[in-house]
Amino acid sequence: MSKKLLGGIAIAAVTLMGTMAVARDYPSQTIRLIVPYAPGGQGDITARLLADRLTPRLGQTVIVENRPGANGVLGTDVVVKSDPDGHTLGLVVASHVLQRGLMANLPYDPIEDVAPVTLTTRTEMVLTATTTLPVNTLPEFIEYAQERPGQLAYKSAGQGSNTHLFGAWFADAAGLDMIHIPYSGSGASHPDIIAGVVHLGFDTVPSAGGLIDDEQLSLLAAAGTERMNRWPDAPTIAEAGAEYGLAEFSAGSWAAVIAPAGTPEDILNMLYEEIADILEDPEVIERFASMGAVIAANTPKETAAIFREEEALYTDLIQRLDINLE
């Protein structure tokens, strides 16, 4: 065996031993779990629930830091540029995979600069309409809008948000000429859609559920691939809108824990196993169910594949529909 080959084997062995030692000593200090959004949202709630339960399991305090700004970019930038030692993590939502399509000068690569730990939950979304329109079903809305090009508006939680993308995708697929009205969050849009200032919108179940139950909003369809337990009679958009070009439509949101690229695989797997175990707790499952979320607990590799798949889909839509942050 050549000296060069022996040297390569020795280096690989030292590297492996070093990685194992890092994982064995982890964590050795306080862990920061950065949420790149404002306090109070579902991502923030998820992060705090995980932090409370990870602290005794890991033997180190897990603290949540809110770093909102630029549609999640400011806080995520802190995560990806931190030391890849597992002591700085992030809690991102589905808009993470929209960022490269929306920002020409994004300061990091949302795929290559991130080491996913796990998808924690998926949040069901709904398509709702104002009750001021004479429609009760998705086909009725589409036909009503077809007869009124440029007269109806869909709302979003902000320019470039996932609900903006879903609204534009829906209108394009159904061949509707609709106006986009962005708000500073879903909650800020509710008075206007209730009053009929805007006419249609995508929302998470936690955000719109009470308004639907109180009949302040009309539930047109479930936005995901399956019907919802809460309203089992509501068809999916793909079901109800198949003949209108919506057979392939599916919209949803999720939350995921990430680490900086280069974080040792042993640490990622340890964190995944601890979080997955937390997510199996019936109390945690019920807590998320009350918020309209279902447990995901995907492995690091599965989560990385989801990031890549959704980024490719949404980047294509963003470019084709000319969606931007302005």
Side-chain angles (χ1 to χ4, degrees):
M1 188 176 294
S2 70
K3 291 183 178 180
K4 185 175 182 180
L5 180 58
L6 285 171
I9 293 173
I11 292 171
V14 169
T15 301
L16 177 61
M17 290 173 61
T19 299
M20 292 175 63
V22 168
R24 192 165 51 243
D25 294 339
Y26 174 81
S28 59
Q29 63 192 56
T30 296
I31 297 171
R32 297 191 300 162
L33 179 53
I34 294 176
V35 180
Y37 319 106
Q42 191 159 345
D44 180 62
I45 293 170
T46 299
R48 294 181 187 280
L49 184 152
L50 291 177
D52 288 345
R53 292 170 181 262
L54 280 171
T55 292
R57 286 171 168 267
L58 298 179
Q60 292 285 351
T61 302
V62 181
I63 60 171
V64 175
E65 291 184 18
N66 294 93
R67 296 285 191 97
N71 202 29
V73 171
L74 295 184
T76 305
D77 192 46
V78 173
V79 176
V80 302
K81 292 177 179 174
S82 298
D83 290 337
D85 58 7
H87 292 101
T88 301
L89 307 173
L91 194 292
V92 297
V93 297
S95 59
H96 173 76
V97 295
L98 305 183
Q99 292 168 343
R100 180 156 41 192
L102 292 168
M103 298 181 64
N105 298 312
L106 191 66
Y108 55 84
D109 186 311
I111 303 299
E112 299 301 330
D113 291 342
V114 165
V117 176
T118 183
L119 217 66
T120 58
T121 55
R122 289 188 177 273
T123 304
E124 295 174 321
M125 297 192 77
V126 288
L127 179 60
T128 63
T130 177
T131 59
T132 63
L133 295 183
V135 302
N136 294 299
T137 67
L138 183 63
E140 288 176 355
F141 179 90
I142 292 173
E143 291 171 11
Y144 185 87
Q146 286 174 340
E147 296 171 358
R148 294 164 179 81
Q151 297 180 37
L152 301 185
Y154 68 90
K155 71 182 185 70
S156 78
Q159 186 77 19
S161 64
N162 63 343
T163 50
H164 178 190
L165 173 62
F166 296 148
W169 181 15
F170 170 82
D172 179 72
L176 303 180
D177 179 8
M178 297 185 68
I179 302 165
H180 170 232
I181 306 294
Y183 291 82
S184 59
S186 289
S189 71
H190 290 156
D192 279 358
I193 191 171
I194 291 171
V197 177
V198 291
H199 308 94
L200 185 82
F202 285 86
D203 260 311
T204 62
V205 171
S207 179
L211 299 175
I212 294 169
D213 289 338
D214 292 342
E215 299 183 350
Q216 295 184 71
L217 291 178
S218 294
L219 173 59
L220 297 183
T225 57
E226 299 179 356
R227 294 194 178 199
M228 298 170 290
N229 291 332
R230 185 164 177 173
W231 302 289
D233 293 334
T236 66
I237 291 175
E239 286 177 318
E243 65 179 287
Y244 300 96
L246 294 161
E248 302 300 321
F249 190 95
S250 176
S253 188
W254 43 255
V257 176
I258 61 169
T263 301
E265 188 173 341
D266 285 357
I267 290 178
L268 296 177
N269 288 331
M270 176 200 296
L271 288 167
Y272 161 69
E273 290 169 3
E274 293 293 346
I275 293 171
D277 196 43
I278 289 169
L279 295 174
E280 290 180 357
D281 186 327
E283 183 180 333
V284 173
I285 294 172
E286 179 59 31
R287 175 78 183 279
F288 281 122
S290 71
M291 297 189 292
V294 295
I295 301 303
N298 296 90
T299 67
K301 289 184 178 179
E302 290 169 343
T303 304
I306 291 167
F307 278 22
R308 292 180 184 279
E309 178 182 343
E310 293 200 4
E311 194 208 30
L313 169 65
Y314 294 146
T315 298
D316 177 70
L317 285 169
I318 287 166
Q319 293 173 348
R320 183 166 61 82
L321 300 175
D322 193 26
I323 294 174
N324 52 62
L325 291 175
E326 299 179 354

